Amino acid sequence: MLNIALPKGRLGDQVYALLAQIGYDCGSIYEQNRKLVFESKENNVRYLLVKPSDVAIYVEHHAADVGIVGKDILAESRPDVYELLDLGLGKCRMCVAAKSDYMEDKDRTLRVATKFVNIAKDHYAKLNRDIDIIKLNGSIELAPILGLSDVIVDIVESGSTIRENNLKIIEEFMPISARFIANKTSFKFQNETIRQMVDKLSMVLNQIEGR
Amino acid sequence: MTIQIDMLKPTEVATLAMRGLYEDFGYKKYRMSRFEEYSLYAANQQFLSDDKVITFTDLDGRLLALKPDVTISIIKNTKATKNSREKVYYLESVFRENKESHTFHEISQMGLEVLGNVDSYAIIEVLQLAAKSLSLIGKNYLLVLSNMDFVLGLLESVGIGEESYSQILPLIEGKNNAELRRALWELNLKEEDISAICSLTSLYGDCQKTLEIADKMVQNDRMAQAVSILQEVYQALDCNDMADCLQLDFSMVNDVDYYNGIIFQGYLEELPRKVLAGGQYDGMVKKMGKDAAGIGYAIYLSDLERMPQTKASYDVEALVLYDTDVDTTELFQAVRSLRKNGMRVLTERVVPPEIRYEKLYRFQNGILQEVKKEC
C-alpha cells in the first residue's frame, strides 16, 4: 500500500484528478465527505489529506511514502526527501514587492516582511544585503502600506492582490510549481511502485502540455 | 539470572550484537572523554556538519566542547601510519543541533573506523561489517554504495569547478532532474554533457546492471578507477551472498570536504531515513597531519528506538501482596520459591497503578495463595 500525502485544497484536487486518470483512483469516495484518509484496496493506494505546508513533514517522517508539495515550502523547510518530478501545476513566482512609489536606499538595513524567512534570508545573503526579517503569517501586503517593512517577499500568482494594494513587484527570483516528492526509505524499498507512478505522471503531464 | 531478550530495547540488543561482531574481526573498543578542546573543532570546522558546538570554560580556563563528532577525535589521537593499521569501534554520544527544534540533542552513535593503509580488502571488510550490522537490527535492509570519484570525475570532465558544487551536488542528491537540468543549462554546458550529468539521478539499483551503465559513461581515469574499485567490491560481496542487500546509487553524494572515494548509507525498511552513513575520508586524515588513509561509518542508535518492538505481555509474571503483620522471613522465602520457577516477581502492599501481571498472589498467615482474577 502506497501512502500519498495530498495538500488540501485546489492543488490537491487537481493532482488527485491526474492520479485518478492514470489508475490510482479511489472511486467516488474522494469528494464525498470530510474524511482525511481515503483508501483503494484494489489500486493499492491510500490518500492522506493534509495541510499543504505539512506534506513534506509527513513524507520526510515516513507517515506518507510520496507527496505533492509546492516548491515554496520545499525551499523554505529543506526536508531530506527526493524531489522526483516538477508537475508544472500551481505555477507562481517568489517576488519582492514594495509600495508603488518605493525607492531603495542601499545605505540602510532593509526591513523585509515575509512568511518565507529562510528563502528571504538566502536571497539577500546572495546579494550581500543586510536585512531585518519581520515574520508574518498572512496579509503580508499590509506590511509596506503601514510602514512595518520596506519590502515583502511572497508568492505571487496573477499579481492582482499586489496591484489592488497599490504595490509593485520589484524582483522575481524563484519560479514555483508543485513537486512530486518521495521519502528516501520508501523510494528504496518500494522503488518499482514509485517509479511507475512517476513515469505515468510525467507521461500524462507531457500529453497535457503538448495539447 | 537469565536475561530475557524482550526485556531489552532494540538498541540494546543491536549494540551488544554489534560489539560481538566487531570484536570477532579484531576491532578494539575505543573509549574517549566526553569533552574535547574546542580549538580542534575551530581548526577543522569544514569537517563538521554544522558549526554549532556546545562550549564551556573548564576550571583551568581552557575552552572545551562537548563532542559534536567522534571521527575527528579518533584521527587526532591515532598512531596509525601507511604501514600500521588501527581498527577501532566506539559507542559514544555526540551533541548536535536538531534542525527541527533548534535545540541541542544528544545523539547516541556506534561506529567503526579503519585508519592507516586502506586497501581494497579494508574497504570490503568495512562494507561487510556495515551490512552485517544492519542485518542485526532489522530483517529488511539495504546498503547503498557510491563512489564520489565517479560523480566528481564526471563534473571535472565537463569543466564544472568546485565553486559550483554547492549548487549542483544537492540537486543530484535530491534526484531533482528538472532543476538540475535548468542549473546546468545556466552554466552553458553542451546538451550531451547536461544529459550525462542528469542521468546520474536515475543511475541506481541493482549493482551489476548499474555498473555496466556506469562503465559506458567513463570519461577519464578518475571515473574508470571509481568503477573498477566498485566492481571489485561488488564481486567480493557477491561471493559472500551479500549482493541482495546491496545497491548502487550514483546520485548519492556526501560532504565533499569530509569524504572521498567510496561512500555508503544504510537503510532499514521500518525507519524514515538512513541509519548508517560512512565512507573513505583520506583527505581529512591528511589535513590533520597524519600519514594515513581512513574509512569508517557511524550508526545512529537514537533512531533505532523507532523500530517496532514486540512488547512482552506482562511486566511481571507474579504480583505478591502482603499485609503489615507478615513474617518477613517467610515472605522472603515464598518470593524466592516463585523466583526459582523462573517468574519475575514484584512484591507490594497494594496493587500499584499501571502494572501488568500474569498472576496475583496474596501472602497471608505464612501461606502464599493465588488470587483468581475477577471476570
Side-chain angles (χ1 to χ4, degrees):
Chain A
M1 181 74 70
L2 199 70
N3 289 316
I4 306 169
L6 283 184
K8 272 190 210 165
R10 203 175 57 184
L11 176 63
D13 296 344
Q14 271 179 316
V15 174
Y16 174 74
L18 271 181
L19 288 168
Q21 201 181 325
I22 54 172
Y24 300 101
D25 67 309
C26 261
S28 56
I29 333 166
Y30 182 77
E31 293 117 24
Q32 269 174 11
N33 46 35
R34 300 175 71 170
K35 263 171 71 177
L36 298 175
V37 182
F38 306 94
E39 196 175 302
S40 162
K41 286 224 165 65
E42 65 214 80
N43 291 327
N44 234 353
V45 287
R46 185 186 293 131
Y47 289 95
L48 318 170
L49 281 183
V50 304
K51 202 176 153 147
S53 52
D54 289 343
V55 168
I57 299 172
Y58 276 77
V59 174
E60 186 180 11
H61 291 265
H62 209 193
D65 300 303
V66 297
I68 283 84
V69 60
K71 180 67 190 175
D72 50 335
I73 292 157
L74 288 178
E76 179 63 22
S77 63
R78 296 190 206 111
D80 186 18
V81 295
Y82 289 132
E83 195 180 316
L84 297 175
L85 195 62
D86 182 348
L87 298 177
L89 298 171
K91 274 191 181 160
C92 47
R93 304 148 288 163
M94 190 62 74
C95 292
V96 181
K99 268 163 78 172
S100 47
D101 57 353
Y102 173 74
M103 294 278 282
E104 189 176 349
D105 179 359
K106 298 234 169 177
D107 199 25
R108 277 174 47 189
T109 304
L110 190 70
R111 291 173 307 158
V112 183
T114 185
K115 205 159 47 169
F116 302 99
V117 175
N118 294 326
I119 294 177
K121 269 192 206 157
D122 283 358
H123 177 64
Y124 284 104
K126 275 184 205 149
L127 304 172
N128 291 334
R129 185 83 164 96
D130 255 345
I131 57 164
D132 280 335
I133 295 255
I134 300 159
K135 157 108 180 153
L136 295 177
N137 294 302
S139 305
I140 320 284
E141 293 82 3
L142 263 179
I145 299 170
L146 300 177
L148 178 62
S149 74
D150 301 317
V151 297
I152 59 170
V153 168
D154 204 9
I155 41 175
V156 175
E157 204 175 327
S158 65
S160 55
T161 322
I162 295 282
R163 278 192 301 276
E164 278 165 27
N165 286 294
N166 208 17
L167 302 177
K168 66 174 177 189
I169 292 171
I170 310 178
E171 194 185 353
E172 292 177 8
F173 63 92
M174 187 194 280
I176 310 274
S177 55
R179 307 296 162 96
F180 184 91
I181 58 171
N183 174 275
K184 290 195 166 176
T185 301
S186 303
F187 188 76
K188 300 206 151 58
F189 287 93
Q190 303 193 57
N191 190 269
E192 249 333 281
T193 324
I194 296 177
R195 202 141 83 163
Q196 261 178 28
M197 187 177 269
V198 172
D199 287 348
K200 283 186 192 166
L201 258 178
S202 78
M203 219 143 66
V204 74
L205 286 166
N206 285 339
Q207 276 170 13
I208 294 172
E209 244 171 59
R211 229 185 274 161
Chain B
M1 189 185 74
T2 50
I3 296 175
Q4 292 178 341
I5 288 291
D6 58 5
M7 269 163 49
L8 298 176
K9 296 253 175 289
T11 323
E12 291 171 314
V13 179
T15 312
L16 290 172
M18 285 189 279
R19 281 193 67 169
L21 175 68
Y22 302 156
E23 295 274 348
D24 284 350
F25 280 81
Y27 286 71
K28 287 271 165 297
K29 184 153 188 298
Y30 193 98
R31 172 88 201 261
M32 63 192 85
S33 151
R34 196 166 284 248
F35 313 132
E36 182 71 77
E37 297 255 359
Y38 175 70
S39 56
L40 178 70
Y41 304 116
N44 297 290
Q45 210 165 54
Q46 75 266 39
F47 300 136
L48 297 177
S49 52
D50 62 61
D51 54 358
K52 311 227 172 24
V53 181
I54 307 178
T55 56
F56 64 97
T57 313
D58 203 357
L59 298 177
D60 59 2
R62 287 178 310 151
L63 187 59
L64 295 188
L66 270 82
K67 291 191 307 281
D69 183 279
V70 178
T71 311
I72 292 180
S73 303
I74 294 182
I75 297 174
K76 186 191 81 173
N77 296 322
T78 188
K79 292 194 177 64
T81 60
K82 278 262 147 65
N83 302 317
S84 76
R85 244 187 228 161
E86 195 173 357
K87 293 183 173 185
V88 295
Y89 72 92
Y90 61 84
L91 181 60
E92 295 281 336
S93 285
V94 294
F95 299 84
R96 288 184 187 161
E97 182 201 12
N98 182 306
K99 294 264 180 341
E100 271 168 52
S101 63
H102 287 293
T103 49
F104 278 108
H105 272 221
E106 180 176 358
I107 302 167
S108 181
Q109 268 192 3
M110 183 149 194
L112 175 147
E113 318 281 351
V114 176
L115 287 151
N117 181 5
V118 175
D119 53 14
S120 337
Y121 176 75
I123 294 174
I124 289 162
E125 184 178 274
V126 168
L127 286 172
Q128 192 236 150
L129 287 171
K132 278 239 166 84
S133 303
L134 289 170
S135 75
L136 291 170
I137 307 167
K139 248 210 281 182
N140 288 332
Y141 64 95
L142 272 178
L143 188 68
V144 186
L145 283 184
S146 180
N147 194 327
M148 297 270 279
D149 284 327
F150 186 82
V151 179
L152 299 182
L154 182 60
L155 296 185
E156 194 182 272
S157 78
V158 302
I160 295 180
E162 277 180 38
E163 67 284 355
S164 305
Y165 283 1
S166 62
Q167 188 198 0
I168 302 295
L169 295 179
L171 295 174
I172 297 178
E173 168 92 38
K175 296 188 186 291
N176 189 344
N177 218 327
E179 272 179 42
L180 179 61
R181 185 166 278 281
R182 249 172 264 157
L184 293 171
W185 186 257
E186 279 166 20
L187 290 173
N188 293 323
L189 294 190
K190 283 185 287 183
E191 177 52 39
E192 58 188 86
D193 292 341
I194 294 179
S195 300
I197 295 171
C198 284
S199 69
L200 286 173
T201 59
S202 49
L203 194 56
Y204 64 86
D206 174 72
C207 290
Q208 207 165 359
K209 281 187 205 147
T210 313
L211 274 173
E212 277 167 23
I213 303 171
D215 201 30
K216 288 182 193 133
M217 288 174 65
V218 167
Q219 302 275 346
N220 50 25
D221 283 353
R222 194 175 178 185
M223 291 174 82
Q225 262 172 15
V227 172
S228 101
I229 178 83
L230 280 173
Q231 264 156 351
E232 192 179 344
V233 166
Y234 170 68
Q235 260 160 24
L237 294 173
D238 189 29
C239 289
N240 285 296
D241 294 330
M242 300 181 85
D244 288 348
C245 60
L246 211 60
Q247 267 194 8
L248 278 181
D249 187 348
F250 283 105
S251 74
M252 185 171 79
V253 274
N254 221 322
D255 193 344
V256 195
D257 283 324
Y258 203 121
Y259 289 113
N260 61 286
I262 297 269
I263 52 169
F264 50 96
Q265 294 179 346
Y267 288 84
L268 292 161
E269 197 176 17
E270 294 88 349
L271 298 178
R273 52 186 75 122
K274 58 177 186 266
V275 289
L276 181 153
Q280 290 180 269
Y281 46 82
D282 306 343
M284 179 160 68
V285 182
K286 290 222 171 62
K287 174 89 196 307
M288 292 182 70
K290 308 275 172 169
D291 177 30
I295 183 170
Y297 61 82
I299 295 172
Y300 310 117
L301 295 177
S302 314
D303 288 348
L304 302 188
E305 280 173 20
R306 301 267 164 266
M307 285 293 280
Q309 188 183 5
T310 42
K311 275 246 159 123
S313 337
Y314 303 109
D315 298 318
V316 289
E317 275 76 36
L319 173 62
V320 177
L321 299 177
Y322 64 96
D323 295 325
T324 31
D325 54 353
V326 76
D327 180 334
T328 42
T329 317
E330 284 177 0
L331 171 63
F332 191 56
Q333 272 174 349
V335 171
R336 279 189 62 182
S337 69
L338 288 176
R339 279 287 306 124
K340 274 190 187 147
N341 295 333
M343 289 175 157
R344 286 175 293 177
V345 187
L346 179 69
T347 313
E348 288 285 357
R349 298 268 293 278
V350 288
V351 180
E354 293 185 18
I355 180 96
R356 297 170 308 161
Y357 53 86
E358 189 178 5
K359 288 178 177 167
L360 180 66
Y361 293 92
R362 186 169 287 280
F363 190 75
Q364 251 172 349
N365 308 323
I367 301 161
L368 191 66
Q369 240 180 352
E370 191 180 341
V371 183
K372 292 284 175 223
K373 278 186 201 167
E374 287 168 27
C375 293

